[in-house]
Amino acid sequence: MTAMDPMDRQTVAREAQRTLERLWPRLSQAFADQDPTLWDEFAGRLRTHFPALFERLVALYGHHYDFFYHLEQLLVEAGQAWFTRDPALRALDRQRQADPRWFQSEKMLGAVYYVDLFAGDLQGLRKKIPYLQELGVTYLHLMPLFQAPQPENDGGYAISDYRQVDPRLGTMADLQALATELRAANISLCLDFVFNHTSDEHPWALRAQAGDPEFQAFYFIFPDRTLPDQYERHLREIFPDEHPGAFTYRPEMNAWVWTTFHTYQWDLNYSNPQVFRAMAGEMLFLANVGTEILRLDALAFTWKELGTSCENLPKAHTLIQAFSILARIAAPSLLFKSEAIVHPDEVVKYIRPDECQLSYNPLLMALLWNSLATREVRLLRHAMSYRFRIPDECAWVNYVRCHDDIGWTFDDGDAAALGINGYDHRRFLNAFYTGRFPGSFARGLPFQENPRTGDARISGTLASLAGLERALHLGDPAEIDLAIRRILLLHAVILAIGGIPLIYLGDEIGLLNDYRFREDPAKADDTRWVHRPAMDWEKAERRRDPNTVEGRIYQGLQKLVQVRKATPALAGHAMEVVDMGNDHVFAFVRANEHGRLLAIHNFTENPQPLPSNGIRLHGLGYHFRDLVTGLPLELATDGELTLEPYQILWLVPQADGESAS
């Protein structure tokens, strides 16, 4: 949060205590008819967390004349959320408070997909829970499923009503029933909290368009270009092809509206305490539906200040911390997941026990693809050696790809330290993954390509980017084998490196790019739809046949998942990158009180030698068992071990004479 002088912090703490004592009689009266046991739970958490919440809210809104009114109303609304919370969710709260690091278990496995593309609707998804259990999923992120404008809605990220499901997918009752069934299957539901903006069809925006000044204050609306021009001197354009700058003219109001992303997405004005209260209500509503994890969308953009870039500002962190602390009071089991696709130095700032307990790891994703293209792990090894560290109470969410594009978010300073020019290297990666580079195995599409600067991001499914699409087109069994090995290699890293591995559903059976998005006018200009194919259940039926491509990928991945879940040394997120003396091989050590594992990954299609001494040094011995194959590995005193193309080794030390079975 914003830095505060120690004396000021003491003053705020004293004022927090006095404020709570003044509010206590009114809060007690407001909930006098509630179960005393539930009141005692709520009151205990409120007393514990109120000083921290008060400090954040004072930093954001203390200068408002009606600050204490909004504060009291916020606490009453938090209490109402707690007392109306389902008893099963309150039981989950208690369970998670007793085991706050539950998400760091080696048994965790995430999956993500769109409801309609995976199962048609929410009722259909309930029928697919056994499939998720078979794969080993314990955390399911469903892409935005709320009411949104049609046909254009940014893949659901323009929300018209946070309390209504898209009618094509079902109802809120269907969502609540799904959350209950998922919880019974030991699968935590994750939904998006799109809190930077609403769609222009949201009731708040409609009332603003109708001239209601209360709701016009929910957004950034300007009568002329004076302030927008001043802001834009420091802002970057996110989607310049759609609209230049960050503002959109709305003729029905004769005004300019702040629209960072798309013209139909209106940025919320969090300098207004009423907006915080309103969005806190939406957050707690989603928690009470049964959501256990909220992905905070576009969190870097939430706070605006004139004369700044309006990205990653200190008060954006203060804002998120206020939401997070409020959740500790009213829905203690709720976790936040950061979606900050920004510079690595900024990504890590959002990861704190009182802010975002989980965070996507976009740097790891980008550098895995970088290593696959270059066949070198130097940049991956260098960056992960120090950029992987986060607080012990938190965890990375590691993924190979997601619904969005792949951007090359590595730090240019990291690259320069290795003699790599960041600008030129990004151009190479774009050429490689769009198949323009000679010899490339990838078949991706550029996203938001700028012909003038060469800047772009990459769209494509895992299988198509890893060479399977090209290999199948060629009908080359050797190339198919290499592509499958690449797919399993990337998954092996995210399964072992520490944190929660997240699989984009369909990747487990090797779904390819779907170019039919070009036929839909609402999607034709957004190449990201190429890697959002509908789940092919006919292909999924072949997952049990080891003689099919689908079976080879699925069974290989399932074996890795099963090994992960049976290896307590993979719990937590502590990880040490090690240099094995070969720049084509990425290796790291996972160690905790339960054991030690040395993970080794060959990022090339060629055999790679490894000195035995390096394995002995980092693996602590001469005798190992490879958990991937289940076979023993004995090291010679001298000499070297040869890795097969794209081979994965997960080595655990064995004592002399210990069985490797």
Side-chain angles (χ1 to χ4, degrees):
M1 60 171 290
T2 307
M4 183 179 291
D5 181 89
M7 184 61 70
D8 290 340
R9 180 157 286 166
Q10 292 175 11
T11 301
V12 170
R14 288 194 297 269
E15 183 60 28
Q17 183 64 33
R18 287 196 292 263
T19 299
L20 188 58
E21 294 308 318
R22 287 197 299 269
L23 292 174
W24 204 260
R26 293 201 289 274
L27 293 174
S28 300
Q29 182 61 34
F31 302 116
D33 58 346
Q34 297 294 340
D35 182 329
T37 302
L38 294 180
W39 164 252
D40 287 344
E41 282 190 75
F42 178 77
R45 292 196 303 271
L46 180 57
R47 285 196 181 277
T48 298
H49 297 292
F50 182 77
L53 177 64
F54 184 79
E55 183 177 336
R56 272 70 174 180
L57 293 177
V58 164
L60 295 172
Y61 306 116
H63 60 287
H64 284 258
Y65 74 93
D66 55 355
F67 169 74
F68 289 100
Y69 164 78
H70 286 293
L71 176 64
E72 181 177 347
Q73 292 303 113
L74 180 69
L75 297 182
V76 170
E77 290 156 6
Q80 291 169 341
W82 167 249
F83 289 113
T84 57
R85 193 158 165 80
D86 187 278
L89 293 174
R90 289 199 292 258
L92 181 67
D93 291 331
R94 299 175 192 118
Q95 177 185 333
R96 296 286 163 77
Q97 286 177 288
D99 182 19
R101 299 190 188 185
W102 64 273
F103 53 85
Q104 295 188 350
S105 168
E106 72 278 6
K107 300 187 186 303
M108 287 294 293
L109 177 68
V112 56
Y113 218 63
Y114 288 89
V115 172
D116 56 337
L117 296 175
F118 186 67
D121 57 22
L122 292 169
Q123 294 280 9
L125 185 54
R126 291 167 67 181
K127 297 174 183 177
K128 299 300 182 184
I129 291 177
Y131 178 86
L132 300 173
Q133 290 177 295
E134 177 188 318
L135 186 57
V137 172
T138 62
Y139 155 122
L140 179 64
H141 177 189
L142 299 179
M143 299 300 293
L145 44 73
F146 301 106
Q147 198 168 80
Q150 299 299 332
E152 288 188 316
N153 52 51
D154 190 26
Y157 284 98
I159 293 180
S160 300
D161 194 330
Y162 295 88
R163 303 192 184 207
Q164 294 294 326
V165 170
D166 183 336
R168 296 170 301 176
L169 302 179
T171 66
M172 191 58 70
D174 292 331
L175 179 60
Q176 195 156 13
L178 173 65
T180 300
E181 291 190 30
L182 287 171
R183 195 162 57 252
N186 195 34
I187 300 175
S188 298
L189 176 62
C190 173
L191 296 178
D192 288 272
F193 188 42
V194 184
F195 76 126
N196 176 71
H197 48 262
T198 73
S199 89
D200 58 3
E201 294 183 8
H202 192 283
W204 303 339
L206 293 177
R207 293 185 66 173
Q209 291 170 55
D212 187 328
E214 178 181 358
F215 287 92
Q216 288 185 340
F218 270 48
Y219 302 96
F220 294 91
I221 299 174
F222 303 98
D224 56 42
R225 287 290 309 187
T226 303
L227 279 173
D229 286 344
Q230 292 179 34
Y231 275 109
E232 284 186 348
R233 289 173 191 155
H234 305 277
L235 304 181
R236 66 184 176 104
E237 295 179 327
I238 305 301
F239 294 128
D241 290 347
E242 179 186 310
H243 68 98
F247 298 87
T248 298
Y249 179 68
R250 299 293 298 216
E252 71 276 17
M253 295 187 295
N254 190 29
W256 293 85
V257 181
W258 199 317
T259 57
T260 293
F261 297 103
H262 296 284
T263 58
Y264 48 81
Q265 289 169 313
W266 288 18
D267 286 42
L268 288 163
N269 180 7
Y270 277 105
S271 66
N272 179 354
Q274 193 171 349
V275 172
F276 179 86
R277 266 185 54 212
M279 289 306 292
E282 304 306 282
M283 174 189 77
L284 294 177
F285 174 82
L286 295 178
N288 281 1
V289 168
T291 309
E292 297 181 36
I293 302 162
L294 286 177
R295 169 192 176 274
L296 302 192
D297 178 66
L299 78 179
F301 296 86
T302 50
W303 195 268
K304 277 77 167 171
E305 292 178 10
L306 191 64
T308 74
S309 68
C310 297
E311 293 183 45
N312 302 303
L313 296 182
K315 284 190 176 179
H317 294 277
T318 309
L319 178 72
I320 299 162
Q321 289 165 26
F323 277 122
S324 182
I325 296 165
L326 184 66
R328 303 285 72 74
I329 296 170
S333 58
L334 184 67
L335 297 180
F336 285 174
K337 178 172 65 172
S338 164
E339 187 262 349
I341 313 302
V342 292
H343 189 278
D345 288 345
E346 297 297 335
V347 170
V348 75
K349 294 178 183 177
Y350 293 95
I351 309 171
R352 292 172 36 147
D354 63 351
E355 193 164 342
C356 292
Q357 300 80 23
L358 308 176
S359 175
Y360 281 128
N361 196 344
L363 178 61
L364 176 63
M365 176 194 67
L367 294 183
L368 287 175
W369 288 109
N370 170 74
S371 295
L372 210 60
T374 62
R375 281 76 163 182
E376 285 193 352
V377 304
R378 292 189 306 141
L379 189 53
L380 173 64
R381 186 172 61 212
H382 174 69
M384 288 300 107
S385 68
Y386 75 102
R387 292 193 181 276
F388 199 80
R389 301 184 193 119
I390 54 175
D392 290 342
E393 303 90 342
C394 302
W396 289 112
V397 175
N398 300 306
Y399 58 113
V400 174
R401 63 110 175 178
C402 63
H403 75 288
D404 224 336
D405 54 274
I406 298 173
W408 310 116
T409 56
F410 58 82
D411 174 61
D412 282 0
D414 286 348
L418 302 175
I420 299 169
N421 179 286
Y423 173 79
D424 291 341
H425 196 58
R426 289 183 178 90
R427 289 176 65 93
F428 156 71
L429 291 170
N430 286 332
F432 186 93
Y433 282 107
T434 54
R436 301 168 181 170
F437 190 82
S440 169
F441 51 72
R443 292 295 178 265
L445 297 177
F447 176 68
Q448 291 288 322
E449 185 172 29
N450 186 328
R452 181 177 58 83
T453 64
D455 186 39
R457 281 104 77 193
I458 299 298
S459 298
T461 67
L462 166 58
S464 289
L465 294 178
L468 186 59
E469 180 178 327
R470 172 180 175 273
L472 290 172
H473 179 71
L474 294 174
D476 186 330
E479 288 295 320
I480 292 172
D481 181 67
L482 289 175
I484 292 173
R485 286 172 177 251
R486 293 185 193 106
I487 292 169
L488 295 177
L489 175 79
L490 295 181
H491 277 124
V493 175
I494 67 168
L495 285 165
I497 199 169
I500 303 174
L502 181 67
I503 297 172
Y504 196 88
L505 290 169
D507 286 350
E508 76 278 9
I509 55 171
L511 291 189
L512 304 177
N513 286 343
D514 184 355
Y515 299 100
R516 290 173 295 178
F517 79 97
R518 296 286 195 195
E519 301 169 3
D520 184 342
K523 300 176 180 177
D525 294 330
D526 186 344
T527 62
R528 292 174 299 180
W529 286 105
V530 80
H531 58 237
R532 302 168 183 170
M535 183 66 174
D536 190 328
W537 289 104
E538 288 187 11
K539 287 189 174 184
E541 284 299 313
R542 298 199 283 269
R543 69 187 183 276
R544 296 189 181 93
D545 184 349
N547 297 312
T548 65
V549 168
E550 295 82 8
R552 292 170 65 187
I553 296 173
Y554 184 88
Q555 292 179 29
L557 177 57
Q558 191 178 49
K559 174 63 182 299
L560 293 172
V561 169
Q562 291 169 349
V563 170
R564 169 186 163 82
K565 288 175 177 278
T567 308
L570 294 178
H573 72 271
M575 182 274 299
E576 178 191 2
V577 174
V578 296
D579 187 343
M580 302 300 292
N582 184 322
D583 287 340
H584 307 293
V585 176
F586 182 55
F588 52 84
V589 171
R590 300 296 314 286
N592 56 32
E593 66 273 21
H594 302 294
R596 182 182 184 89
L597 181 144
L598 173 61
I600 300 172
H601 312 83
N602 177 6
F603 267 80
T604 79
E605 61 270 63
N606 300 313
Q608 293 297 327
L610 280 186
S612 295
N613 280 341
I615 301 174
R616 175 183 56 80
L617 174 64
H618 299 296
L620 302 184
Y622 291 91
H623 308 282
F624 301 91
R625 179 162 56 96
D626 175 21
L627 298 184
V628 177
T629 62
L631 298 176
L633 176 67
E634 302 288 336
L635 292 181
T637 305
D638 299 308
E640 60 188 24
L641 174 72
T642 300
L643 296 179
E644 297 176 5
Y646 299 113
Q647 186 175 356
I648 306 153
L649 286 176
W650 288 354
L651 301 179
V652 293
Q654 304 284 294
D656 289 346
E658 183 179 349
S659 171
S661 61

